[in-house]
């Protein structure tokens, strides 16, 4: 059987696929594969290991009904029409858990960096602006005992909250579709309404899925309810915030600062004003980008592909119902 991989992935994943006897084609280009081309390629393969921004919508899925499985090398599946895949009997898997620690590290890094204007300070040295010492200049804010608000408290949010509690004794509040009892037990986290999350948090960190319900939920209205001293962190998906509204909130000092590992759109424009703001730190979507985590993600995706090849349920299938539809 043949598997198509839409990026070069770590060798740990490739070895699993090779050992299973799969014939592998890997895309090595540096631009996104156009949808029609991706359909044509997948039509020549039995399985698809999708990495990057491939849109797996109804059109793609109907044109690729023959696929025995699609393994995403990501935890997010906002570009995939899971309902259509289930209806067509195509199992789709993702890579949860293995990236929770690395992604929460990135959120933690951004919280600390924003609180001390770290990226801006770094840039100012390269612009020869390190001069006369002034005790009232370059001041940041401290995080000790400040309230951490998590929007979407799942595995990544839980990892972040544990770090913030251990490092800064931060009490944790959160807003989810449904309460996370495990997190409440481990962290003493308190479930609050979305409005309470906005008004009570000193740091808000976003870890929710991007969906029609959450798209641009952090907008002008939301930023206007946050504390003027609040830090906004997004390591989930850029589509969860309205970037124009965020820029205005920062320009008008409605909030203290922002740390983004994801932007809306991606990549962001080189002249985006956020890049020149002292209280803003931006990273190019590197949440899970460590040698260890990317290897684990490749292994998880490859294991899912091998299971699909063998006609077994993918261990990380997103919608188990697909197996009652698939013959
Ligand atoms: C994920 O795994 O969803 C990361 O954000 C990479 O897209």
């Amino acid at each position: 059987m043949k598997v198509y991989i839409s990026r070069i992935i770590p060798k740990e994943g490739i070895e699993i696929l090779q050992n299973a006897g799969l014939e592998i084609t890997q895309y090595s280009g540096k631009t996104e594969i156009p949808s029609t081309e991706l359909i044509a390629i997948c039509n020549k393969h039995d399985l698809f290991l999708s990495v990057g921004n491939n849109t797996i919508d109804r059109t793609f899925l109907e044109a690729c009904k023959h696929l025995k499985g699609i393994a995403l090398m990501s935890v997010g599946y906002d570009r995939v029409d899971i309902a259509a895949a289930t209806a067509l009997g195509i199992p789709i898997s993702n890579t949860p858990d293995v990236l929770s620690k690395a992604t929460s590290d990135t959120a933690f890094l951004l919280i600390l960096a924003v609180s001390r204007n770290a990226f801006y300070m770094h840039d100012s040295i390269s612009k020869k602006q390190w001069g006369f010492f002034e005790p009232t200049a370059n001041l940041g804010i401290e995080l000790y005992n400040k309230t951490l608000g998590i929007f979407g408290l799942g595995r990544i949010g839980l990892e972040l909250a544990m770090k913030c509690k251990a490092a800064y004794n931060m009490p944790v509040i959160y807003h989810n579709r449904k309460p996370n009892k495990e997190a409440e037990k481990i962290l003493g986290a308190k479930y609050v309404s979305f409005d309470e999350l906005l008004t009570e948090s000193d740091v808000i960190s976003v870890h929710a899925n991007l969906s029609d319900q959450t798209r641009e939920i952090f907008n002008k209205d939301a930023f206007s309810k946050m504390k003027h001293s609040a830090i906004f962190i997004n390591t989930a998906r850029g589509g969860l915030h309205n970037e124009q509204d965020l820029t205005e909130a920062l320009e008008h000092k409605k909030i203290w600062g922002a740390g983004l590992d994801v932007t809306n759109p991606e990549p962001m424009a080189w002249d985006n004003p956020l890049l020149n703001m002292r209280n803003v730190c931006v990273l190019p979507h590197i949440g899970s980008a460590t040698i260890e985590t990317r290897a684990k993600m490749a292994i998880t995706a490859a294991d899912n592909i091998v299971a699909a090849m063998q006609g077994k349920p993918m261990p990380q299938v997103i919608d188990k119902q697909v197996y009652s539809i698939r013959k």
Side-chain angles (χ1 to χ4, degrees):
M1 279 197 213
K2 294 180 179 181
V3 58
Y4 182 66
I5 312 177
S6 57
R7 287 284 195 286
I8 301 295
I9 64 164
K11 61 175 184 346
E12 289 85 347
I14 297 296
E15 279 163 14
I16 291 173
L17 300 170
Q18 279 169 340
N19 291 340
L22 277 154
E23 200 180 305
I24 302 165
T25 315
Q26 272 192 101
Y27 176 70
S28 58
K30 298 285 178 211
T31 52
E32 228 42 79
I33 310 165
S35 299
T36 44
E37 212 177 295
L38 188 62
I39 290 174
I41 297 168
C42 285
N43 268 297
K44 296 189 190 125
H45 292 80
D46 308 287
L47 298 139
F48 178 29
L49 198 160
S50 172
V51 197
N53 290 332
N54 310 129
T55 299
I56 304 181
D57 56 9
R58 183 172 283 280
T59 308
F60 174 91
L61 292 160
E62 281 177 350
C64 295
K65 281 200 273 276
H66 69 287
L67 286 173
K68 299 200 177 320
I70 301 175
L72 309 176
M73 198 179 118
S74 67
V75 66
Y77 48 88
D78 46 290
R79 299 179 80 92
V80 185
D81 189 338
I82 296 293
T86 298
L88 290 162
I90 307 172
I92 307 215
S93 65
N94 65 345
T95 58
D97 294 328
V98 290
L99 46 61
S100 300
K101 284 196 162 52
T103 307
S104 65
D105 282 346
T106 304
F108 190 74
L109 164 77
L110 285 171
I111 295 172
L112 199 47
V114 173
S115 76
R116 302 300 293 271
N117 311 322
F119 292 16
Y120 184 87
M121 292 298 148
H122 174 89
D123 285 351
S124 69
I125 302 173
S126 51
K127 290 182 188 139
K128 303 186 179 152
Q129 286 163 0
W130 185 358
F132 185 64
F133 168 66
E134 294 170 75
T136 56
N138 299 341
L139 304 185
I141 49 176
E142 292 188 6
L143 298 164
Y144 296 95
N145 303 313
K146 300 275 171 75
T147 299
L148 173 68
I150 304 248
F151 181 70
L153 182 53
R155 288 170 272 219
I156 299 172
L158 181 62
E159 288 285 344
L160 174 69
M162 290 195 297
K163 290 187 224 295
C164 291
K165 227 177 156 47
Y168 297 114
N169 194 32
M170 294 173 80
V172 180
I173 59 175
Y174 74 101
H175 183 73
N176 274 16
R177 271 173 305 176
K178 42 183 192 225
N180 181 334
K181 293 291 171 204
E182 189 203 353
E184 290 183 11
K185 211 158 89 190
I186 297 173
L187 298 164
K190 185 173 139 213
Y191 181 87
V192 294
S193 68
F194 185 53
D195 266 17
E196 282 170 313
L197 187 88
L198 297 172
T199 55
E200 288 178 24
S201 301
D202 295 300
V203 176
I204 293 195
S205 194
V206 180
H207 299 283
N209 291 331
L210 178 62
S211 67
D212 290 343
Q213 289 72 45
T214 59
R215 193 173 303 280
E216 301 203 352
I217 189 162
F218 287 91
N219 53 24
K220 190 177 176 141
D221 182 50
F223 294 124
S224 73
K225 291 177 182 162
M226 286 166 62
K227 293 183 185 179
H228 292 316
S229 55
I231 291 175
F232 173 75
I233 302 291
N234 190 356
T235 54
R237 285 291 181 270
L240 286 152
H241 66 252
N242 178 304
E243 210 145 290
Q244 183 61 36
D245 292 350
L246 174 62
T247 306
E248 282 170 20
L250 288 158
E251 276 168 351
H252 298 124
K253 304 201 183 317
K254 300 261 184 239
I255 61 173
W256 158 270
L260 307 176
D261 182 46
V262 290
T263 59
N264 182 10
E266 277 180 25
M268 76 189 331
W270 309 129
D271 60 355
N272 189 313
L274 291 172
L275 292 170
N276 293 317
M277 291 186 188
R278 63 187 298 132
N279 297 342
V280 176
C281 298
V282 186
L283 293 171
H285 203 147
I286 56 159
S288 62
T290 66
I291 294 168
E292 296 86 346
T293 291
R294 286 287 160 81
K296 286 184 212 156
M297 290 168 74
I299 291 170
T300 306
D303 284 344
N304 280 301
I305 287 288
V306 172
M309 177 197 94
Q310 294 170 341
K312 295 181 187 157
M314 292 167 121
Q316 304 294 345
V317 71
I318 295 166
D319 184 2
K320 288 193 176 71
Q321 274 195 353
V322 70
Y323 291 114
S324 46
I325 288 164
R326 198 178 168 83
K327 293 178 198 88

